[in-house]
């Protein structure tokens, strides 16, 4: 008889953005094997990182912790301050080059996440493309979508479907790919997020997924309603704020409050960077005319 997956609920909460629920779930788990215990701790600390509790993670993971947890601490250091980025990436490169620990799956996953943040997609793929678990495959899908390589993203999705078609990450990856594909596939993506909303706790991730589908289908009033619900759950979530800014423009409302909020709290967000670039181009054009 197959042994029960004691970490299923914890993983699922984390994948769907129910980070506090993931943390709470971990407190109710029985005694785990050493390997499962490390995975549990890594998911809990990554949940705290997702909630922006970087310092808690930095303080609690000491130098005696396993490689996987040291890698998670690197992610917390990287995200906690722009001043930490250079030294964090330097440490990451050093660890990846160490034959004793360089192939650790969580270290490779964290490397992929950090290089994805850096928009260094080729470097990210160096460490994630060999796969090893569903999270690495799902991260590959995200990287290929950022590179506008839907063909490679589809190949990764097929690999995930062969492993477990019903896995939460497989379903999420399918929804991301459908959103990127557009057209009739948007409805399929919406149905995936709708299914999640009926089965699991409603989260900002699920609400944003449904809202983006609605926006792509031209249903901006429904999208706004979903995004306001997401904002009530997490007023600082950058994707919710960014999506609300875009949605507001389409329904004829001012987006300045959301854009200002995004600039103040997430100045490195892609929407902020694009607006800043457009503003600089406009200013240069004005000066050229003057």
């Amino acid at each position: 008889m197959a042994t029960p997956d004691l970490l299923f609920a914890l993983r699922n909460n984390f994948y769907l953005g129910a980070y506090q629920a993931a943390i709470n779930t971990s407190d109710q788990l029985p005694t785990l094997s050493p390997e499962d215990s490390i995975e549990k701790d890594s998911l809990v600390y990554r949940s705290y990182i997702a909630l922006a509790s970087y310092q808690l993670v930095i303080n609690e993971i000491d130098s005696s912790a396993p490689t996987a947890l040291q890698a998670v601490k690197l992610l917390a250091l990287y995200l906690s301050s722009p001043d930490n980025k250079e030294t964090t990436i330097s440490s990451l490169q050093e660890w990846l080059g160490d034959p004793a620990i360089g192939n650790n799956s969580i270290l490779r996953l964290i490397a992929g996440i950090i290089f994805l943040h850096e928009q260094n997609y080729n470097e990210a793929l160096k460490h994630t493309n060999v796969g090893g678990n569903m999270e690495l495959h799902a991260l590959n899908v995200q990287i290929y979508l950022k590179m506008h390589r839907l063909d490679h993203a589809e190949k990764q999705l097929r690999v995930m479907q062969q492993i477990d078609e019903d896995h939460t990450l497989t379903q999420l990856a399918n929804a991301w790919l459908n959103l990127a594909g557009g057209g009739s596939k948007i409805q399929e993506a919406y149905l995936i997020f709708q299914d999640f909303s009926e089965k699991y706790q409603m989260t900002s991730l699920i609400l944003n997924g449904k809202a983006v589908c609605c926006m792509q289908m031209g249903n901006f009033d429904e999208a706004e309603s979903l995004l306001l619900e997401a904002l009530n759950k997490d007023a600082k979530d950058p994707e919710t704020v960014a999506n609300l800014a875009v949605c507001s423009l389409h329904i004829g409302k001012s987006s300045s409050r959301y854009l200002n909020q995004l600039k103040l709290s997430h100045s490195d967000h892609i929407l902020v960077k694009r607006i800043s670039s457009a503003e600089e181009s406009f200013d240069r054009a004005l000066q050229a005319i003057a």
Side-chain angles (χ1 to χ4, degrees):
M1 193 171 78
T3 55
D5 183 357
L6 298 173
L7 297 179
F8 175 81
L10 171 56
R11 282 196 210 97
N12 221 51
N13 280 325
F14 177 77
Y15 297 152
L16 292 172
Y19 302 117
Q20 190 58 55
I23 294 165
N24 296 345
T25 300
S26 72
D27 293 333
Q28 299 158 17
L29 290 170
T31 303
L32 299 169
S33 68
E35 187 178 341
D36 282 350
S37 184
I38 291 170
E39 185 182 355
K40 180 207 79 170
D41 289 344
S42 72
L43 287 165
V44 168
Y45 283 127
R46 287 171 64 199
S47 296
Y48 277 116
I49 289 172
L51 295 171
S53 296
Y54 307 123
Q55 201 57 49
L56 180 148
V57 177
I58 293 165
N59 290 347
E60 287 199 8
I61 299 176
D62 60 31
S63 57
S64 65
T67 299
L69 300 187
Q70 293 288 350
V72 173
K73 181 177 181 176
L74 271 187
L75 180 61
L77 285 164
Y78 171 83
L79 294 172
S80 64
S81 167
D83 298 336
N84 293 335
K85 289 189 176 183
E86 195 173 321
T87 53
T88 301
I89 291 170
S90 177
S91 296
L92 181 62
Q93 295 278 30
E94 185 181 331
W95 294 5
L96 290 164
D98 184 338
I101 61 172
N103 201 39
N104 180 278
S105 60
I106 294 179
L107 175 60
R108 288 192 291 114
L109 180 71
I110 297 301
I113 292 168
I114 287 176
F115 289 121
L116 179 60
H117 272 279
E118 290 289 302
Q119 297 179 30
N120 189 345
Y121 306 129
N122 289 330
E123 188 64 29
L125 287 169
K126 272 189 201 176
H127 309 292
T128 62
N129 213 16
V130 291
N133 61 45
M134 292 297 271
E135 267 208 274
L136 284 163
H137 289 307
L139 185 56
N140 280 336
V141 172
Q142 288 185 310
I143 295 166
Y144 284 127
L145 289 175
K146 288 283 188 182
M147 296 171 74
H148 305 290
R149 291 303 306 265
L150 265 66
D151 52 339
H152 287 303
E154 284 171 0
K155 287 178 185 175
Q156 283 294 310
L157 176 60
R158 284 197 293 273
V159 170
M160 295 176 75
Q161 288 170 333
Q162 286 167 4
I163 297 169
D164 185 351
E165 191 171 9
D166 296 323
H167 195 287
T168 296
L169 287 177
T170 307
Q171 293 299 308
L172 275 173
N174 197 1
W176 301 332
L177 207 55
N178 285 334
L179 275 169
S184 61
K185 291 184 178 292
I186 302 299
Q187 183 64 32
E188 294 175 34
Y190 181 87
L191 291 173
I192 291 171
F193 288 115
Q194 180 62 28
D195 187 51
F196 282 144
S197 69
E198 291 170 1
K199 286 182 180 175
Y200 305 112
Q201 175 185 335
M202 192 71 85
T203 64
S204 290
L205 184 149
I206 294 170
L207 288 163
N208 272 274
K210 290 176 71 174
V212 170
C213 293
C214 288
M215 284 195 281
Q216 290 212 33
M217 292 187 289
N219 301 330
F220 294 102
D221 289 335
E222 184 181 348
E224 183 188 36
S225 176
L226 290 163
L227 291 168
L228 290 173
E229 187 180 344
L231 200 66
N232 283 333
K233 291 185 177 295
D234 183 357
K236 295 180 180 179
D237 178 55
E239 298 313 313
T240 304
V241 177
N243 286 330
L244 268 167
V246 174
C247 191
S248 296
L249 288 171
H250 282 278
I251 56 179
K253 294 183 178 180
S254 172
S255 62
S256 58
R257 182 184 299 169
Y258 298 125
L259 290 173
N260 288 336
Q261 184 181 340
L262 202 61
K263 287 177 182 177
L264 287 169
S265 57
H266 295 91
S267 58
D268 60 344
H269 193 279
I270 185 66
L271 185 61
V272 174
K273 288 181 177 178
R274 285 180 177 173
I275 290 169
S276 299
S277 177
E279 287 172 347
E280 288 168 10
S281 297
F282 184 74
D283 289 342
R284 282 196 299 272
L286 278 180
Q287 288 170 6
I289 293 167

